[in-house]
Short mmCIF file of all heavy atoms in Angstrom, two decimals:
data_model
loop_
_atom_site.label_atom_id
_atom_site.label_comp_id
_atom_site.label_asym_id
_atom_site.label_seq_id
_atom_site.Cartn_x
_atom_site.Cartn_y
_atom_site.Cartn_z
N PRO I 1170 -43.91 6.36 6.74
CA PRO I 1170 -42.92 5.48 6.20
C PRO I 1170 -42.45 6.01 4.82
O PRO I 1170 -43.16 6.29 3.87
CB PRO I 1170 -43.58 4.14 6.06
CG PRO I 1170 -44.65 4.16 7.11
CD PRO I 1170 -45.14 5.62 7.10
N GLY I 1171 -41.12 5.98 4.67
CA GLY I 1171 -40.46 6.45 3.38
C GLY I 1171 -39.99 7.89 3.49
O GLY I 1171 -39.20 8.30 2.66
N LYS I 1194 -8.60 -8.22 -18.47
CA LYS I 1194 -8.20 -9.47 -19.20
C LYS I 1194 -9.11 -10.60 -18.97
O LYS I 1194 -9.31 -11.04 -17.89
CB LYS I 1194 -6.77 -9.80 -18.68
CG LYS I 1194 -5.78 -8.63 -18.75
CD LYS I 1194 -4.46 -8.99 -17.93
CE LYS I 1194 -3.64 -7.82 -17.86
NZ LYS I 1194 -2.44 -8.03 -16.97
N VAL I 1224 -10.33 1.07 -2.54
CA VAL I 1224 -10.79 0.54 -3.88
C VAL I 1224 -11.20 1.73 -4.72
O VAL I 1224 -11.95 2.58 -4.26
CB VAL I 1224 -12.01 -0.41 -3.62
CG1 VAL I 1224 -12.56 -0.82 -4.97
CG2 VAL I 1224 -11.54 -1.60 -2.79
N TRP I 1254 -12.01 -6.56 -12.23
CA TRP I 1254 -13.04 -5.67 -12.92
C TRP I 1254 -14.35 -6.15 -12.35
O TRP I 1254 -14.82 -7.19 -12.63
CB TRP I 1254 -12.93 -5.84 -14.43
CG TRP I 1254 -13.95 -5.02 -15.21
CD1 TRP I 1254 -15.25 -5.20 -15.36
CD2 TRP I 1254 -13.58 -3.91 -16.02
NE1 TRP I 1254 -15.73 -4.23 -16.19
CE2 TRP I 1254 -14.75 -3.42 -16.67
CE3 TRP I 1254 -12.31 -3.24 -16.34
CZ2 TRP I 1254 -14.75 -2.38 -17.51
CZ3 TRP I 1254 -12.32 -2.16 -17.27
CH2 TRP I 1254 -13.52 -1.75 -17.77
N MET I 1262 -21.84 5.03 -4.92
CA MET I 1262 -21.22 4.65 -3.68
C MET I 1262 -21.55 3.20 -3.36
O MET I 1262 -22.33 2.82 -2.51
CB MET I 1262 -21.78 5.57 -2.45
CG MET I 1262 -21.13 5.26 -1.09
SD MET I 1262 -19.34 5.15 -1.05
CE MET I 1262 -18.88 6.83 -1.70
N LEU I 1306 -37.78 0.27 15.12
CA LEU I 1306 -37.76 1.21 14.02
C LEU I 1306 -36.97 0.79 12.88
O LEU I 1306 -35.74 0.34 13.12
CB LEU I 1306 -37.20 2.55 14.59
CG LEU I 1306 -37.02 3.62 13.59
CD1 LEU I 1306 -38.14 4.67 13.77
CD2 LEU I 1306 -35.70 4.35 13.76
N ALA I 1362 -29.64 19.03 18.15
CA ALA I 1362 -29.72 19.27 16.66
C ALA I 1362 -28.44 18.79 16.03
O ALA I 1362 -27.35 18.94 16.53
CB ALA I 1362 -29.94 20.75 16.33
N GLY I 1366 -20.83 20.34 9.54
CA GLY I 1366 -19.45 19.78 9.57
C GLY I 1366 -19.23 18.53 10.32
O GLY I 1366 -18.17 17.99 10.31
#
Side-chain angles (χ1 to χ4, degrees):
K1194 305 167 187 175
V1224 175
W1254 182 287
M1262 184 46 62
L1306 177 100

